[in-house]
Amino acid sequence: MPTLKTKSVQTLKAYISLVERLRINRKGPLWYRGCGKVSHELKPSLYRHKGSKSIEDFMALEKQLLARFQQKSIPFHSRSLADPWEWFFFMQHYGVPTRLLDWSESPLMALFFAVTSARHALGSQGQPVFNGDASSWFLATERWNKRAVQLK
């Protein structure tokens, strides 16, 4: 298992500076993922469900969520969704837990999702006051793919 490196930033300027430094040192592209809770592991929301422990539990939950979403979404879309994968992608964008893990080629999009999904309250001036740290994951895709091929 590769070692994860962590960096902490407190400002937008520091975040952009970190992204720039990482891009300079990489040959291939980076992908980014924003998460509102630093304690969340890098796993899809379906697999973070507290009531499910086994693969059978996750499969049953996924089947139930898919069926419920298909039934309740009929009045709200006119898309022709042919297979379960198309449904999963559609569900993902409405916050339904799925097995999918969204990534972006934009570090600012990842930051947007990290900040907007972080728990917060409004301060006296209407500004957000966060109740914990958010995170952005950075993935060097070429290194990841090389490593995945070596594991086979």
Side-chain angles (χ1 to χ4, degrees):
M1 182 81 152
T3 304
L4 297 177
K5 298 175 186 172
T6 60
K7 305 278 184 190
S8 181
V9 297
Q10 302 297 319
T11 65
L12 177 59
K13 183 177 179 180
Y15 180 79
I16 292 172
S17 177
L18 174 63
V19 169
E20 289 173 346
R21 282 194 315 273
L22 289 172
R23 281 185 168 171
I24 289 169
N25 296 327
R26 297 279 181 258
K27 292 179 185 172
L30 290 172
W31 283 1
Y32 309 90
R33 174 173 171 71
C35 185
K37 261 182 121 172
V38 75
S39 62
H40 277 175
E41 295 178 17
L42 190 58
K43 64 169 79 169
S45 57
L46 179 73
Y47 302 128
R48 292 194 300 256
H49 192 270
K50 292 177 183 169
S52 300
K53 302 289 181 217
S54 69
I55 190 68
E56 291 81 13
D57 292 341
F58 292 120
M59 289 173 62
L61 175 61
E62 181 179 68
K63 186 176 180 179
Q64 176 187 12
L65 290 169
L66 176 60
R68 187 173 298 151
F69 187 83
Q70 287 173 326
Q71 293 166 350
K72 295 192 178 233
S73 68
I74 290 171
F76 304 107
H77 73 88
S78 58
R79 289 182 169 197
S80 175
L81 301 170
D83 62 47
W85 287 108
E86 290 182 11
W87 279 101
F88 293 148
F89 286 110
F90 193 52
M91 291 165 57
Q92 179 82 356
H93 292 284
Y94 287 94
V96 179
T98 69
R99 65 171 90 174
L100 304 176
L101 203 54
D102 282 333
W103 289 90
S104 174
E105 293 180 337
S106 167
L108 295 178
M109 186 60 63
L111 182 62
F112 169 82
F113 280 108
V115 172
T116 59
S117 63
R119 293 190 185 270
H120 65 278
L122 291 180
S124 60
Q125 305 288 319
Q127 78 283 9
V129 177
F130 293 94
N131 298 331
D133 292 335
S135 65
S136 287
W137 293 81
F138 296 26
L139 175 67
T141 57
E142 286 184 11
R143 287 182 64 194
W144 175 262
N145 287 331
K146 284 178 185 176
R147 176 80 173 147
V149 170
Q150 289 174 352
L151 294 175
K152 287 186 174 184

